[in-house]
Amino acid sequence: MNHKPIEGIVAILRGVTPETVDDVAAALVEGGVGIIEVPLNSPHPLHSIERLARRWGDQVLVGAGTVLTAAQAQEVADAGGRLVLAPNFDAAVVQRARERGLLALPGVATPTEGVNALAAGAHALKLFPAEMLGPPVLKAWRAVFPRGTAMLPVGGVGLGNLAAFKAAGAVGAGIGSSLYAPGVAPAELKTRAAALVQAWAAA
């Protein structure tokens, strides 16, 4: 399966509901976001992923976050998702994602985890929590990991440090609460998304 590359802003929609996800996605797409993640600890997440994949799948890379088991990766694939992210590295999750043609981004916080995740077949590494690791760690890792290893910082990333992470070698950034929270108006969401997308492009 051909995949869009992981790059730019990844919108993390923790707490989104199937009833609101279409309006949320419309605002994000208008703001220029090309990757949307629905964490599996959101209400009825597979229904939201299914709706996103059906309506927005040709424009946006749709996936799931907080994917902790191989069975969950299977469910994401069945719902039409094409991307699985996790806070941790579990080889079984990576393997199941690859078997189903999904992009696998396990969470890592040490070089050992990162090397093991790549050996297991991870397509990219999610640096989590990025606020703890910071741009200096990302820069140091880029010097020792294989050239071209895609690294996506998640956790505590926003307008204030986006440029620093990009300068350190990040391919994009996962943005959660500073972008989306349940109840945020679509117009505000579009404004926030556009600001992040523009800041990333300009960095």
Side-chain angles (χ1 to χ4, degrees):
M1 177 184 292
N2 291 324
H3 292 288
K4 292 173 65 174
I6 295 291
E7 64 180 352
I9 301 301
V10 179
I12 301 171
L13 306 184
R14 193 173 304 280
V16 75
T17 64
E19 294 75 27
T20 60
V21 75
D22 278 327
D23 289 342
V24 168
L28 291 170
V29 170
E30 286 181 27
V33 169
I35 307 175
I36 296 177
E37 167 198 333
V38 177
L40 290 187
N41 52 6
S42 302
H44 309 292
L46 295 170
H47 292 164
S48 291
I49 291 168
E50 202 171 321
R51 290 180 75 117
L52 286 171
R54 189 166 58 238
R55 181 167 173 187
W56 302 100
D58 57 341
Q59 296 172 258
V60 175
L61 183 58
V62 176
T66 320
V67 179
L68 303 178
T69 67
Q72 288 177 333
Q74 181 83 29
E75 290 175 337
V76 172
D78 291 343
R82 294 183 290 156
L83 171 71
V84 295
L85 299 98
N88 64 313
F89 162 57
D90 184 319
V93 173
V94 173
Q95 183 177 4
R96 183 63 57 84
R98 289 193 67 99
E99 287 171 358
R100 291 300 308 271
L102 277 60
L103 287 166
L105 274 77
V108 300
T110 67
T112 299
E113 290 176 330
V115 169
N116 289 341
L118 292 176
H123 295 91
L125 302 178
K126 170 182 162 180
L127 274 64
F128 180 80
E131 58 199 326
M132 178 185 81
L133 298 167
V137 168
L138 173 54
K139 185 177 180 181
W141 285 19
R142 292 211 59 80
V144 295
F145 277 84
R147 183 180 295 275
T149 299
M151 299 187 188
L152 183 85
V154 178
V157 186
L159 286 172
N161 56 9
L162 203 55
F165 275 109
K166 186 174 183 180
V171 297
I175 313 289
S177 56
S178 67
L179 173 59
Y180 172 81
V184 64
E188 171 64 16
L189 186 58
K190 176 185 173 182
T191 298
R192 292 181 188 179
L196 285 161
V197 169
Q198 289 164 13
W200 178 261

